């Protein structure tokens, strides 16, 4: 699984074959950043699976945590690419090694261009990544693909009641998760959201994090309701839910460079952490969402058949509402 064949080509010997999906980026930076962020959502030493979904609307990349209590999605719309071609009567989905894909993309640095092609016909359906430096040196990675699998069924927006808020800067939220994770990597943390109307007279904290370490010490952090911190705060009911510290620590690492951060929560305590990664050099915007199940829900319920059959139908990328930095999405 994940076997890579690396071949160096001279420019005049290179040619592309016809394929169902072909995408070109003048800078590999957006892909490298996105796949790297999905990698950070896992513990070191793991080789997670990356689910890639291809459609006329672009690429969607997804992965899940080993306990199946977190699913990470990244949407790269077709407009991110300088060239994007998709020729298939149906959407295509494959699985690849996340580590292998990241290693291939990083081979020539973030200034190299990248061309991705996928052809499902023939005996071996392979994902090809061609990287090219300014000196015309080309490197091709051929990544073995596997049948698509179902990820944990974790969702927020399908619930009847969804609350949320938008932080102008993700740093306070991410920093708190990081501090808790450094203190105790195997415990749990409680997140408490309060409506502004229900705040005690002596308090302005609308979001609090509580954690008891294995040694018996307690940690508590609060985010006050002040205009500079929250761009929007729409929490109509009180929420008190607990989450695994390792999972939230992975989310903090994955969101370390986030700007604005949108947080949504449903009545079961499922969290949605959303941000937009900007790439000023190439004008690209990539949307990332981390979905985290609370301990009250337990492990995310997989949507594969009971016999473990692979996923045969996946949502179309066009069904995902993708906004821009100026939209209400963030």
């Amino acid at each position: 699984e994940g076997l890579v064949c690396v071949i160096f080509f001279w420019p005049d010997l290179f040619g592309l074959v016809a394929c169902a999906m072909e995408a070109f980026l003048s800078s590999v930076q957006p892909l490298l950043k996105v796949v790297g962020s999905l990698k950070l959502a896992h513990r070191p030493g793991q080789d997670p699976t990356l689910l890639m979904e291809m459609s006329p609307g672009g690429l969607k990349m997804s992965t899940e945590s080993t306990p199946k209590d977190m699913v990470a999605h990244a949407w790269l719309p077709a407009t991110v690419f300088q060239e994007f071609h998709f020729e298939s009567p149906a959407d295509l989905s494959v699985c690849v090694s996340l580590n292998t894909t990241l290693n291939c993309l990083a081979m020539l640095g973030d200034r190299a261009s990248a061309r991705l092609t996928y052809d499902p016909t023939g005996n071996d359906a392979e994902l090809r990544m061609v990287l090219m430096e300014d000196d015309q040196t080309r490197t091709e990675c051929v990544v073995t693909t596997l049948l698509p699998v179902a990820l944990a069924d974790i969702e927020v927006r399908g619930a009847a009641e969804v609350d949320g808020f938008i932080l102008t800067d993700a740093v306070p939220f991410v920093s708190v998760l990081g501090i808790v994770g450094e203190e105790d990597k195997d415990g749990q943390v409680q997140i408490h959201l309060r409506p502004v109307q229900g705040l005690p007279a002596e308090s302005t904290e609308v979001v609090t994090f509580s954690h008891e370490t294995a040694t018996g010490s307690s940690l508590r952090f609060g985010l006050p309701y002040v205009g500079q911190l929250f761009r929007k705060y729409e929490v109509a009911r009180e929420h008190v839910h607990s989450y695994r510290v390792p999972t939230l620590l992975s989310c903090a690492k994955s969101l370390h460079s986030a700007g604005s951060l949108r947080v949504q929560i449903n009545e079961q305590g499922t969290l949605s952490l959303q941000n937009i990664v900007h790439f000023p050099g190439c004008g690209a915007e990539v949307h990332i969402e981390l979905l985290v199940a609370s301990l009250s829900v337990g492990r995310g319920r997989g949507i594969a058949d009971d016999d473990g059959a692979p996923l045969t139908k996946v949502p179309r990328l066009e069904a995902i509402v993708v906004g821009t930095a100026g939209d209400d999405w963030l």
Side-chain angles (χ1 to χ4, degrees):
E1 297 182 6
L3 178 65
V4 179
C5 175
V6 181
I7 309 172
F8 293 91
F9 290 86
W10 292 108
D12 57 339
L13 297 180
F14 176 76
L16 289 176
V17 296
C19 54
M21 188 279 297
E22 180 178 348
F24 174 75
L25 280 170
S26 58
S27 169
V28 74
Q29 186 185 26
L31 273 175
L32 192 59
K33 180 71 173 179
V34 167
V35 179
S37 295
L38 297 181
K39 169 64 176 176
L40 289 172
H42 295 273
R43 286 187 173 184
Q46 295 180 335
D47 186 12
T49 296
L50 181 67
L51 174 64
M52 297 183 64
E53 302 171 41
M54 295 162 270
S55 77
L59 297 180
K60 177 182 175 184
M61 298 183 177
S62 306
T63 186
E64 66 181 1
S65 63
T66 301
K68 296 185 179 295
D69 61 347
M70 186 274 294
V71 175
H73 300 292
W75 289 273
L76 292 89
T79 53
V80 168
F81 302 90
Q82 282 71 52
E83 299 175 20
F84 188 86
H85 305 286
F86 184 84
E87 296 292 339
S88 174
D91 295 351
L92 300 173
S93 300
V94 297
C95 282
V96 294
S97 163
L98 194 155
N99 290 348
T100 299
T101 303
L102 182 59
N103 290 338
C104 283
L105 293 172
M107 288 185 67
L108 298 183
D110 60 5
R111 290 185 296 179
S113 63
R115 186 177 297 274
L116 277 67
T117 60
Y118 176 69
D119 180 11
T121 62
N123 296 327
D124 297 318
E126 298 169 328
L127 177 70
R128 294 177 179 267
M129 292 179 283
V130 179
L131 307 175
M132 188 175 70
E133 291 180 305
D134 294 338
D135 61 3
Q136 301 300 303
T137 301
R138 303 189 186 203
T139 303
E140 180 178 2
C141 287
V142 181
V143 183
T144 302
T145 61
L146 306 173
L147 290 176
V149 296
L151 302 182
D153 186 14
I154 305 176
E155 186 53 73
V156 168
R157 286 173 290 278
E161 303 289 345
V162 178
D163 288 325
F165 55 87
I166 299 176
L167 288 170
T168 304
D169 194 322
V171 170
F173 193 91
V174 173
S175 297
V176 168
L177 299 182
I179 293 172
V180 170
E182 292 302 321
E183 291 290 332
D184 184 2
K185 293 183 172 59
D186 296 312
Q188 56 183 272
V189 62
Q190 184 185 86
I191 299 180
H192 189 175
L193 274 63
R194 298 177 177 87
V196 175
Q197 294 79 6
L199 286 177
E202 68 279 4
S203 175
T204 60
E205 294 179 350
V206 288
V207 182
T208 57
F209 304 80
S210 304
H211 173 65
E212 289 190 6
T213 67
T215 60
S217 61
S218 298
L219 298 173
R220 184 181 181 279
F221 303 89
L223 300 181
Y225 182 68
V226 293
Q228 297 87 349
L229 184 59
F230 292 93
R231 182 189 300 177
K232 182 180 291 186
Y233 190 84
E234 296 181 349
V235 177
R237 61 199 60 78
E238 191 170 8
H239 296 269
V240 183
H241 300 282
S242 296
Y243 307 86
R244 295 177 64 251
V245 168
T247 301
L248 291 184
L249 179 59
S250 297
C251 291
K253 293 179 179 178
S254 184
L255 295 169
H256 73 286
S257 61
S260 299
L261 178 68
R262 181 179 182 181
V263 179
Q264 290 184 300
I265 189 170
N266 62 18
E267 62 269 28
Q268 285 81 34
T270 302
L271 275 178
S272 169
L273 309 175
Q274 309 164 32
N275 78 292
I276 299 176
V277 182
H278 302 273
F279 301 93
C282 55
E285 291 181 350
V286 176
H287 298 244
I288 295 178
E289 180 178 26
L290 307 176
L291 294 163
V292 184
S294 67
L295 289 175
S296 60
V297 174
R299 292 187 175 184
R301 180 175 56 85
I303 57 176
D305 297 335
D306 292 338
D307 61 356
L311 185 66
T312 57
K313 184 178 181 181
V314 297
R316 292 183 61 88
L317 186 66
E318 293 89 336
I320 303 298
V321 178
V322 177
T324 65
D327 292 337
D328 194 46
W329 191 90
L330 263 179

